[in-house]
Amino acid sequence: MDGLSRLEYRGYDSAGIAITGVEDSDGGPAGSLTVVKAVGKLTNLRAALAELEAAGGVPDSRSAIGHTRWATHGHPTVENAHPHVSMDGRLALVHNGIIENADALRTQLRAEGYEFTSETDTEVVVHLLDRAFHDPDLISWEGPLDGLEGGELARGWALVAAMITVVARLEGTFTLLALSQEVPGLIVAARRSSPLVVGRGEGENFLGSDAMAFAAHTTDAIEVGQDQIVAVTADSVTIMDREGSVLEPHHFNVDFARDRATKDGWPTFMEKEIHEQPRAIADTIADRLDSEGRLALDEVRIPESLLRGADKMIIVACGTAAYAGLVARYAIEHWCRIPVEVELAHEFRYRDPVVTEKTLVVAISQSGETMDTIMAIRHAREQGAKVIAIVNTPGSTISRESDAVLLTHAGPEIAVASTKAFTAQIAATYILGLYLAQVRGNKYVDEVQDYLEKLEKIPEKVQWVLDRAETVRQTARTMTDVDSVIYLGRHVGYPVALEGALKLKELCYIHAEGFAAGELKHGPIALIDEGQPVIVVVPTPRRPELHNKVVSNIQEVRARGARTIVVAEEGDTSVDEFADVVFRVPATPTLYMPLLSVIPLQLFACELAAAKGNDVDQPRNLAKSVTVE
Ligand code: M6R
């Protein structure tokens, strides 16, 4: 249950656990399979399990599997929650991913008499596995399953053989874990394009979607590669290829996943993470100069000749990370004079993008596990492009599958709504942009140092904004009844507007739209009506060509009845007469402004969600890490 709770960020609409029972001295069920499931967050499963335990229904056990779900096929109900069990109730399976040929397989299985009790794609796998497991013509597999003997060993081999047989029939993406009451000392797993890591302990072993699931018990992890199968007993871990040939395990250390994040006195993780941003940005940009004063990215081991020869950069990411990419475009194009495209990862490969060996792809991801982004980088690398990942999670799939990794040092981000990861991602792209400008000869070393010095001042400016949050909080508390908010921004303020709107949608369930301010008159202004809240991110007055146009936009919406909330630089009095409320940020170079102007928008959404009584850290329908396409 502790492992599951560490993975709850992946989905929290229902959860379940299956436990194989063994002979026990207290009279609990033996040679059994006990399955407990509950809709909603993990606390509901905990309660159900505690109730069962009190009634003596939890067996002594040598193996168990559990799952937290983010619904893809079928509503979040007990029937659709994992684990799913075979018709005889003796075999259980959990699944992440999507089985794309589930409909065809279900039709075949129905014709053979299999009955389905859920709407999930997963249930076809449990029936296929059960059928193979009891098939007299099953292929034979014999390999090390330490600790199993006699009949249990023979059935263990059969379960592995059944998994080998079944995965060959599956299309799509999956991590599968299965156990049977016939082999209570064994878990068999398989993966294709969904993550799976093994934790190697002393007389105990673990499987998890990521290492956080077991890092409290062991830091010795084993990688499970694409299309590999794993058989785990308390004493052995056997990694196989898709044909069942045993492979050498590849161990790595997961010390970094050991500490469990706590709220440290903050009411929510999101509040805490918003307030961690000065440190997250500072840690991300720290110690980047070498002894000669040149910007050095030790992690980015791509030959400088390739970086110099790149003729285009494509940034791929999703959600908030994609907005960080949009901010990056302004800086990198300006500093490096290289064309930068920013593409939602899930759109990227399906539009047949022009990617060559001279394309530099930058994948941005907090989790490093977003399936859309993983698929995008695979596609890019197949075309010969080099991929630099900007990720917050060391050892994650994206970091392992990229040519180079630039880590953001934001620390674990627990709240589903991304905050400190966003600003750390932007800071990392600035570092990357300055590094490229230096390598490609667009900026002299002293110019890069000058930009860096100004960047180093950002954390204290973020703190300045955080210390003056009261106006933001008060404004948010007056807006619990609004049902629509419009966000406007221009230049680097545009992605900030998009991010502000996303925060409001995901936390407050309020319809919110971010627009490029210049686009207003091309249509969105028709939305403005009496009292419509409009939040405007105003550029610095030191860039009058941007500033004056946005101030005009404020006047335009105000003239049509909008309630205007303005994010403006300290001392910019030109906005005062047109703004109902002003959120102030300190003066800073234009390209760095998003790191400041997004802070009030994060606080605003967080405070408004709390005032509405919403779950700030785990908003409805979402998952922290979207591990399906
Ligand atoms: O882990 P990633 O950065 O790859 O996640 C990408 C998006 O799913 C994520 O930023 C999402 O949009 C957040 N919930 C936004 O707050």
Side-chain angles (χ1 to χ4, degrees):
M1 288 303 292
D2 182 55
L4 269 189
S5 77
R6 285 166 176 262
L7 296 184
E8 203 178 9
Y9 71 91
R10 289 174 168 261
Y12 40 79
D13 61 38
S14 53
I17 185 164
I19 310 161
T20 54
V22 292
E23 295 289 345
D24 75 60
S25 48
D26 306 332
S32 61
L33 184 73
T34 304
V35 177
V36 190
K37 306 197 222 180
V39 171
K41 303 214 167 124
L42 211 53
T43 50
N44 299 348
L45 179 64
R46 256 184 220 289
L49 204 57
E51 207 173 294
L52 190 69
E53 195 158 24
V58 177
D60 279 359
S61 175
R62 284 153 65 198
S63 61
I65 54 175
H67 188 261
T68 59
R69 180 167 185 250
W70 182 80
T72 59
H73 292 56
H75 297 87
T77 59
V78 168
E79 292 73 28
N80 290 335
H82 301 218
H84 289 280
V85 289
S86 56
M87 280 167 66
D88 65 5
R90 295 163 67 85
L91 184 141
L93 175 128
V94 295
H95 165 220
N96 283 342
I98 295 177
I99 305 298
E100 286 170 5
N101 57 339
D103 288 347
L105 293 170
R106 193 182 293 108
T107 306
Q108 287 169 22
L109 286 162
R110 279 211 172 105
E112 291 174 33
Y114 284 91
E115 287 165 17
F116 287 79
T117 56
S118 79
E119 304 160 274
T120 65
D121 50 340
T122 306
E123 209 181 348
V124 300
V125 188
V126 80
H127 291 325
L128 285 175
L129 192 66
D130 188 50
R131 186 178 66 176
F133 188 38
H134 295 105
D135 182 351
D137 298 325
L138 180 66
I139 58 159
S140 97
W141 182 88
E142 291 183 9
L145 298 177
D146 296 4
L148 306 192
E149 289 174 350
E152 192 183 8
L153 179 60
R155 293 309 286 150
W157 285 337
L159 192 57
V160 175
M163 187 63 95
I164 294 168
T165 308
V166 168
V167 294
R169 294 198 60 192
L170 302 180
E171 290 166 18
T173 57
F174 49 81
T175 295
L176 301 166
L177 264 65
L179 47 65
S180 161
Q181 71 178 58
E182 292 178 43
V183 204
L186 176 70
I187 296 174
V188 181
R191 75 159 285 238
R192 181 183 300 158
S193 298
S194 286
L196 177 64
V197 195
V198 178
R200 191 78 170 92
E202 289 285 324
E204 55 177 4
N205 290 308
F206 307 86
L207 294 137
S209 291
D210 78 37
M212 277 208 293
F214 52 73
H217 302 275
T218 178
T219 54
D220 180 10
I222 300 175
E223 207 172 289
V224 183
Q226 178 75 339
D227 275 316
Q228 290 181 356
I229 292 165
V230 196
V232 170
T233 69
D235 303 315
S236 65
V237 173
T238 307
I239 309 268
M240 293 151 261
D241 66 14
R242 68 173 91 183
E243 270 88 40
S245 304
V246 175
L247 305 169
E248 265 309 301
H250 174 240
H251 289 255
F252 63 106
N253 187 282
V254 292
D255 222 1
F256 57 84
R258 197 163 202 159
D259 294 338
R260 185 167 198 145
T262 55
K263 288 186 198 152
D264 294 342
W266 293 97
T268 59
F269 278 109
M270 186 177 176
E271 275 279 357
K272 179 188 169 212
E273 289 159 8
I274 287 174
H275 286 83
E276 283 175 341
Q277 290 179 104
R279 191 196 50 71
I281 297 168
D283 288 354
T284 299
I285 62 179
D287 301 329
R288 299 292 186 180
L289 293 182
D290 67 14
S291 54
E292 287 159 24
R294 289 171 61 84
L295 185 56
L297 298 187
D298 299 336
E299 314 99 300
V300 178
R301 291 195 199 94
I302 293 181
E304 291 194 357
S305 57
L306 278 177
L307 299 177
R308 272 192 288 274
D311 60 7
K312 179 167 73 169
M313 180 187 285
I314 305 180
I315 300 177
V316 290
C318 302
T320 289
Y323 298 151
L326 284 176
V327 173
R329 173 164 64 183
Y330 292 89
I332 296 174
E333 285 193 335
H334 181 65
W335 291 333
C336 307
R337 310 312 300 152
I338 184 172
V340 180
E341 293 172 17
V342 184
E343 183 92 33
L344 291 169
H346 37 89
E347 288 294 319
F348 173 67
R349 70 176 174 154
Y350 298 105
R351 76 172 169 90
D352 194 14
V354 180
V355 179
T356 70
E357 287 168 4
K358 290 185 153 197
T359 310
L360 196 58
V361 170
V362 175
I364 307 179
S365 174
Q366 187 286 128
S367 61
E369 298 294 349
T370 299
M371 185 54 71
D372 291 317
T373 310
I374 294 170
M375 291 306 193
I377 63 175
R378 285 184 188 159
H379 183 72
R381 293 187 78 196
E382 278 162 20
Q383 316 299 308
K386 289 278 179 241
V387 176
I388 301 179
I390 295 180
V391 295
N392 195 40
T393 314
S396 56
T397 306
I398 290 176
S399 66
R400 282 188 278 119
E401 293 201 13
S402 298
D403 297 289
V405 183
L406 186 56
L407 282 177
T408 47
H409 294 283
E413 191 180 62
I414 306 298
V416 166
S418 189
T419 54
K420 64 174 180 173
F422 176 66
T423 44
Q425 284 160 352
I426 294 174
T429 64
Y430 292 153
I431 294 289
L432 179 64
L434 290 172
Y435 176 71
L436 289 176
Q438 177 187 278
V439 168
R440 293 164 65 92
N442 305 98
K443 292 269 176 270
Y444 296 116
V445 170
D446 59 328
E447 290 176 300
V448 170
Q449 283 173 2
D450 191 46
Y451 276 108
L452 260 182
E453 273 166 29
K454 292 194 171 90
L455 189 55
E456 279 162 4
K457 295 205 165 59
I458 293 291
E460 70 195 54
K461 293 182 182 180
V462 173
Q463 191 58 52
W464 188 98
V465 182
L466 292 169
D467 292 343
R468 288 161 186 76
E470 203 38 45
T471 312
V472 179
R473 292 187 192 280
Q474 274 172 13
T475 308
R477 289 196 288 263
T478 64
M479 292 179 65
T480 49
D481 292 335
V482 304
D483 55 13
S484 154
V485 178
I486 290 170
Y487 289 72
L488 300 177
R490 197 175 182 112
H491 192 257
V492 285
Y494 169 43
V496 174
L498 295 174
E499 172 61 5
L502 179 61
K503 291 284 92 81
L504 201 73
K505 282 182 257 209
E506 60 182 346
L507 289 160
C508 306
Y509 321 143
I510 292 173
H511 185 253
E513 288 275 348
F515 295 108
E519 191 66 9
L520 191 67
K521 56 190 174 300
H522 297 287
I525 200 164
L527 292 167
I528 308 298
D529 202 353
E530 202 54 41
Q532 168 69 51
V534 179
I535 298 184
V536 189
V537 181
V538 181
T540 172
R542 284 168 288 111
R543 293 287 301 275
E545 75 281 15
L546 297 171
H547 175 269
N548 297 350
K549 292 193 178 73
V550 175
V551 174
S552 297
N553 293 140
I554 306 174
Q555 294 174 59
E556 285 156 14
V557 292
R558 197 121 192 273
R560 289 160 177 84
R563 178 179 180 207
T564 54
I565 300 166
V566 170
V567 182
E569 199 172 282
E570 200 195 4
D572 178 5
T573 50
S574 67
V575 299
D576 291 355
E577 64 178 299
F578 314 116
D580 290 298
V581 188
V582 184
F583 300 158
R584 292 289 176 190
V585 293
T588 213
T590 300
L591 288 170
Y592 295 162
M593 192 49 107
L595 292 174
L596 304 180
S597 50
V598 77
I599 308 290
L601 306 188
Q602 296 169 340
L603 284 163
F604 175 76
C606 182
E607 186 72 21
L608 183 46
K612 284 171 77 86
N614 293 357
D615 187 332
V616 171
D617 287 335
Q618 293 185 327
R620 71 183 184 199
N621 300 341
L622 296 176
K624 178 70 182 159
S625 175
V626 183
T627 53
V628 289
E629 264 196 290

